[in-house]
Amino acid sequence: MKLTEHFQYGLNSPICLTWELTYACNLACVHCLSSSGRRDPRELSTDECKSVVDELQKMQVFYVNIGGGEPTVRPDFWELLDYSIDHNVGVKFSTNGIKLDPRRAAQLARTDYVDVQISLDGATAAVNDVVRGPGSYDTAIRALENLASAGFGQPKISVVMTRQNVDQLDEFKAIADKFGAQLRITRLRPSGRGADVWDSLHPTAGQQRQLYDWLVARGADVLTGDSFFHLSAYGEALPGLNLCGAGRVVCLIDPVGDVYACPFAIHDEFLAGNVRSPGGFEEVWRSSELFAELRQPQTGGACRSCGHYDACQGGCMAAKFFTGLPLDGPDPECVLGNADAALAARGDSTVIPKSEVDHSRSAPRNSRVNARQPVALSLTPPPRRMDGVSPGPRGSTRPARDCDTSPLAELVASDGLG
């Protein structure tokens, strides 16, 4: 049996566990897969998080992908990072860089078994800040500068590919090389707030080919998170498992302890359990009815007769689900165009699933549960502003909460998070 066939039937422990520590975030990225912004008051306590780490150590989970929200605005983030590493669970955390001042960068450079991933969705501020917010490009570059100055070895630059930044692939690679970093590119999914902008942001058919050709020619040392296996139908299979690992080798723990089959599928349909339940995470991973179902042999549905099925395995489950396509049908970005007719047939009355989880700081991102009304984006950055500012002592202004910290705020030597 091939190694990938073992993976299809699930493993005793996930090899890629994503853990979102908080929904709090100082930014409001238009494509945020978890619709983050406000902290959920029900989020796991420090002790509960440590108990999860204890379980992961027992299950021999070697590392976790920590995200959010912005994980570093959680007051106990650094304590939990140290606890995980001390218990032989490595940490790879994604951040917009807001808390990576020189002191924290130096701390990370002294720490083994930790990896840092800086989010950047444009090789220029003009492209990046439309998606991630005013000032976010400068914040990310400052974090990379601090890590480089501290001697942190090969951080990652994580880029979500959009139709606005596909032409910047060489520029992204140059930024990575400048800071001794490694470029990681991932696919835009129609999850969370990304559902509202997917139609206007996801790469065109021509750009999909452009991306594939670039990866074949220049992607030998570029990480992809196994995001682009749907592109393998162009010919040469891209490196990676080239299959949907949801509930088999990957899953997500969210800030309140809910366990989902996939980081991109935050929806009740893919909710397997909660770490606060008897038996904790281990019981969910090994005994969930949902995971057992996902680990059954898959028929391949309408894609099975395609000559490229072995290479792309029908594509991404979350991308299909959140665009209203059948899970046993082709990926909405199928490079052979096999999903085009189904996408075109969707109308204003088409019911497209929407995640019940939304912690955006603004009003609910939409009220059109049954309507398909994409949001158009402009490359004109919105006016600069600071969210969540409240009066401070003696008439000064200060952020009301850590999660409302402006990305433009100066990073100081002490961030007050212990």
Side-chain angles (χ1 to χ4, degrees):
M1 181 181 287
K2 296 179 182 178
L3 183 61
T4 54
E5 291 176 348
H6 282 291
F7 291 162
Q8 287 178 337
Y9 297 105
L11 302 176
N12 287 334
S13 303
I15 60 173
C16 185
L17 170 64
T18 297
W19 187 358
E20 295 182 344
L21 283 181
T22 184
Y23 286 125
C25 190
N26 57 296
L27 299 183
C29 301
V30 300
H31 58 11
C32 179
L33 64 92
S34 59
S35 298
S36 289
R38 294 188 181 99
R39 173 185 174 272
D40 192 309
R42 303 169 299 156
E43 71 183 26
L44 299 175
S45 68
T46 302
D47 287 342
E48 286 176 316
C49 288
K50 289 180 177 180
S51 294
V52 171
V53 172
D54 292 341
E55 280 194 85
L56 299 181
Q57 180 184 27
K58 177 185 173 184
M59 296 174 68
Q60 296 185 318
V61 174
F62 299 116
Y63 78 94
V64 292
N65 292 307
I66 298 293
E70 171 51 46
T72 63
V73 302
R74 210 182 130 127
D76 58 0
F77 170 77
W78 303 100
E79 178 183 352
L80 292 174
L81 183 145
D82 289 340
Y83 188 87
S84 294
I85 293 170
D86 289 345
H87 288 74
N88 302 313
V89 178
V91 173
K92 176 189 294 183
F93 72 92
S94 297
T95 176
N96 58 47
I98 188 64
K99 295 295 184 181
L100 292 192
D101 61 13
R103 180 172 70 92
R104 289 302 189 189
Q107 175 185 342
L108 291 168
R110 296 191 301 267
T111 305
D112 293 328
Y113 216 17
V114 65
D115 196 9
V116 184
Q117 191 164 274
I118 306 296
S119 297
L120 191 69
D121 291 333
T124 59
V127 173
N128 177 85
D129 289 8
V130 171
V131 173
R132 302 192 61 82
S136 56
Y137 178 86
D138 292 341
T139 299
I141 295 299
R142 185 185 302 116
L144 288 166
E145 291 172 344
N146 289 338
L147 289 170
S149 296
F152 185 91
Q154 201 175 55
K156 308 295 185 291
I157 297 177
S158 182
V159 180
V160 177
M161 299 309 304
T162 68
R163 67 183 58 176
Q164 280 77 23
N165 67 21
V166 170
D167 289 338
Q168 296 185 321
L169 280 165
D170 287 337
E171 295 173 67
F172 281 121
K173 188 67 168 60
I175 293 173
D177 292 343
K178 175 182 177 180
F179 291 108
Q182 187 172 21
L183 180 61
R184 180 180 187 268
I185 63 174
T186 59
R187 180 181 177 185
L188 173 70
R189 264 81 168 197
S191 307
R193 287 196 294 266
D196 290 340
V197 298
W198 187 81
D199 283 324
S200 58
L201 273 189
H202 78 91
T204 64
Q207 289 176 323
Q208 297 276 9
R209 182 72 204 215
Q210 179 183 347
L211 175 57
Y212 172 81
D213 289 341
W214 190 89
L215 284 170
V216 171
R218 301 203 56 197
D221 60 345
V222 175
L223 302 175
T224 65
D226 213 27
S227 288
F228 301 105
F229 54 90
H230 68 292
L231 299 182
S232 294
Y234 279 127
E236 179 182 341
L238 296 173
L241 296 179
N242 287 335
L243 61 83
C244 174
R248 300 162 173 169
V249 296
V250 306
C251 71
L252 165 77
I253 301 175
D254 85 345
V256 301
D258 283 337
V259 181
Y260 293 90
C262 169
F264 307 107
I266 302 176
H267 189 279
D268 281 351
E269 288 289 326
F270 304 103
L271 178 60
N274 189 285
V275 301
R276 286 172 165 146
S277 300
F281 173 73
E282 183 174 8
E283 178 67 19
V284 176
W285 177 257
R286 295 183 176 170
S287 303
S288 159
E289 292 183 9
L290 171 64
F291 287 174
E293 180 180 347
L294 290 171
R295 293 164 188 168
Q296 294 300 309
Q298 305 297 306
T299 65
C303 291
R304 192 70 201 191
S305 60
C306 176
H308 298 281
Y309 178 75
D310 287 342
C312 89
Q313 299 285 320
C316 173
M317 176 185 73
K320 289 184 268 192
F321 182 76
F322 285 115
T323 50
L325 300 184
L327 296 185
D328 62 352
D331 189 291
E333 294 184 284
C334 171
V335 298
L336 302 179
N338 291 329
D340 291 355
L343 288 172
R346 300 176 306 166
D348 288 343
S349 61
T350 300
V351 177
I352 297 179
K354 169 188 170 184
S355 176
E356 298 84 358
V357 176
D358 190 342
H359 288 80
S360 303
R361 288 195 299 274
S362 61
R365 59 187 164 86
N366 64 54
S367 58
R368 52 188 189 276
V369 176
N370 297 321
R372 191 175 146 265
Q373 302 175 24
V375 175
L377 289 183
S378 165
L379 281 182
T380 302
R384 292 174 177 262
R385 63 188 179 88
M386 178 184 285
D387 288 331
V389 174
S390 63
R394 299 180 183 176
S396 65
T397 60
R398 60 174 175 78
R401 298 176 299 277
D402 277 331
C403 62
D404 289 328
T405 303
S406 168
L408 301 175
E410 286 297 322
L411 298 179
V412 295
S414 174
D415 58 22
L417 296 184

